[in-house]
Amino acid sequence: MRAMRDVMRGVLRDAAVRLGLLAGVLALSAAPVVWAGGAQGGGPAPPAGADPGPAGADPGRPGAAGEPGEGQAPVPAVGRTWPVGVRPPVLRGWEPPATVYGPGHRGVDLGAPPGAPVRAVAVGRVFFAGPVAGRGVVSIELTGTGDPPLRTTYEPVSASVRKGDRVAAGGIVGTVQATGSHCGGACLHWGLLRGTVYLNPLLLLPPWLLNGPTRLLPVPGVPLPP
């Protein structure tokens, strides 16, 4: 009887995880497109007729709208790499909804070709890896990020890891799938949650990684070091 109860608990727990991820996927599918301007968000300019979003907004950058609310733990900048590429373009930025079930964009979309390797941005443990609503999803709990821990999600991804696997920062967890993206083309959706609260995943990246390396310019009349 005890063995049967343990099996049933495991089945119910796995079902709850899949239902939670499915709710997130459905919310993303219903969200309106938010375009990041080429100069600000790193992505392409919006097509003709597209709504550019609120005046002066830069949905590709972290800010007050994407930070934790009052009483929530801050997001530590534990990221050590981008999920794809070196510094990929942000095709769709973070746009928090006004209400829990309101429209918005609960993450960022990064430009990436099909088959591109997807990496864990920080050390952690695989919370989930598998299909949800026809899309491959990988979710990773980040080590040392509080209780409940921060959890990153990546989709659509052909997973190369399993639930419970430990991953290092920069470790490959899968590849970008050719289908299943909501970008209209190939991309990787990168999300961040603490419990059931969505946060801006770009907050995980320290300034040197988010903005690129600092470049020293030569000063006239001052010789360069050998």
Side-chain angles (χ1 to χ4, degrees):
M1 289 297 293
R2 176 175 292 181
M4 181 62 71
R5 285 197 298 269
D6 291 342
V7 170
M8 290 302 298
R9 288 194 189 99
V11 170
L12 292 173
R13 187 163 49 247
D14 186 63
V17 169
R18 288 178 178 269
L19 286 173
L21 291 170
L22 176 59
V25 169
L26 293 176
L28 292 170
S29 299
V33 174
V34 179
W35 293 91
Q40 295 180 323
D51 181 6
D58 182 1
R61 296 176 57 190
E67 294 172 356
E70 185 177 352
Q72 297 178 11
V75 176
V78 295
R80 293 297 174 263
T81 183
W82 285 87
V84 287
V86 177
R87 195 184 177 201
V90 177
L91 304 180
R92 270 179 82 179
W94 160 262
E95 185 70 17
T99 61
V100 175
Y101 300 106
H105 191 223
R106 298 163 173 84
V108 297
D109 291 343
L110 305 176
V118 179
R119 296 179 172 84
V121 299
V123 64
R125 179 181 63 86
V126 178
F127 179 77
F128 178 85
V132 177
R135 302 177 184 176
V137 178
V138 174
S139 180
I140 299 174
E141 284 187 348
L142 304 184
T143 302
T145 56
D147 184 20
L150 291 171
R151 191 169 77 248
T152 57
T153 59
Y154 311 97
E155 60 175 286
V157 173
S158 295
S160 58
V161 292
R162 296 180 179 180
K163 180 179 178 179
D165 287 351
R166 290 284 178 179
V167 293
I172 295 177
V173 299
T175 56
V176 177
Q177 289 179 329
T179 59
S181 166
H182 59 225
C183 298
C187 78
L188 177 76
H189 178 83
W190 177 26
L192 177 66
L193 300 95
R194 187 185 294 280
T196 58
V197 178
Y198 285 87
L199 300 166
N200 186 348
L202 293 179
L203 294 173
L204 289 171
L205 302 181
W208 63 266
L209 191 57
L210 182 64
N211 302 320
T214 301
R215 199 162 49 114
L216 298 178
L217 298 177
V219 178
V222 178
L224 295 175

